[in-house]
Amino acid sequence: MAKPMRIVFVCLGNICRSPLAEVVVRGQAEKRGLAHQFEFSSAGTGDWHIGGLADARSAAIAQQYGLDLSQHRAQQITASKLSQWDWFVAMDADNRESLLAMGVSVERLLMMRQFESDSDMIADVPDPYYGGVHGFEDAYHMLKANADALLDYFIKGTD
Ligand code: 4NP
């Protein structure tokens, strides 16, 4: 059997968006019977929250949709760790730039909303940290809306 694809979702702090992306996409892979093909994780480009829990607002949204973030502990992604993953999924353009600067190859780097439209402009999953709960609800729906297309890409579009 092929080795699982190791996917990391990346945001800035690894407490709001990327942990939610991890559980949303894993949940969708489980629903589709694809979970055994993947190892999902998440990380932040910043170091402020290393070892910390998911933001309470992200945890609450996850719980509202039947997902669990209680086990999440934030980690930072750094150049020395890149070999731990096969694919990198950035939440926004800044995260993408940070990953490229770290040495992630452009062929292994996707945006979370990569497949949402045919336009060349790929939208961000905006950082909800400084806003209210609506930003977290919006983030959840953006993640959910993009989960299947990402999974399809990984299972069909890659070797
Ligand atoms: P995230 O949100 O990148 O979606 O986890 C943030 C969390 C923390 C900070 C910024 C964004 N911060 O500046 O501490």
Side-chain angles (χ1 to χ4, degrees):
M1 204 169 87
K3 278 197 200 157
M5 283 175 263
R6 302 167 304 168
I7 316 260
V8 62
F9 296 94
V10 178
C11 62
L12 183 58
N14 192 217
I15 58 169
C16 299
R17 292 165 292 173
S18 64
L20 198 54
E22 177 188 339
V23 293
V24 165
V25 178
R26 182 187 294 121
Q28 196 59 22
E30 284 168 0
K31 261 190 208 147
R32 293 175 60 182
L34 301 171
H36 60 287
Q37 297 190 40
F38 297 99
E39 279 173 23
F40 296 108
S41 56
S42 63
T45 58
D47 62 1
W48 311 283
H49 299 282
I50 293 172
L53 299 170
D55 187 285
R57 297 163 294 177
S58 263
I61 290 290
Q63 194 175 25
Q64 192 178 316
Y65 290 98
L67 301 167
D68 180 22
L69 274 180
S70 64
Q71 300 306 309
H72 178 74
R73 297 295 179 274
Q75 64 172 332
Q76 185 182 24
I77 186 165
T78 56
S80 65
K81 293 186 188 166
L82 297 182
S83 63
Q84 293 180 20
W85 299 288
D86 304 308
W87 290 96
F88 301 80
V89 185
M91 295 298 118
D92 68 30
D94 287 345
N95 310 145
R96 181 177 185 278
E97 287 305 316
S98 301
L99 290 169
L100 287 171
M102 239 173 255
V104 172
S105 98
V106 76
E107 291 82 21
R108 293 277 155 181
L109 180 53
L110 296 168
M111 293 284 284
M112 185 68 219
R113 300 179 73 181
Q114 178 105 22
F115 304 111
E116 193 172 291
S117 85
D118 293 334
S119 131
D120 285 344
M121 281 295 297
I122 302 174
D124 292 338
V125 178
D127 186 348
Y129 186 64
Y130 292 106
V133 289
H134 287 300
F136 287 80
E137 180 83 34
D138 291 348
Y140 170 82
H141 290 293
M142 286 172 206
L143 299 169
K144 187 74 177 24
N146 284 277
D148 274 329
L150 264 189
L151 289 170
D152 290 345
Y153 176 81
F154 289 132
I155 60 174
K156 293 189 202 128
T158 65
D159 49 65

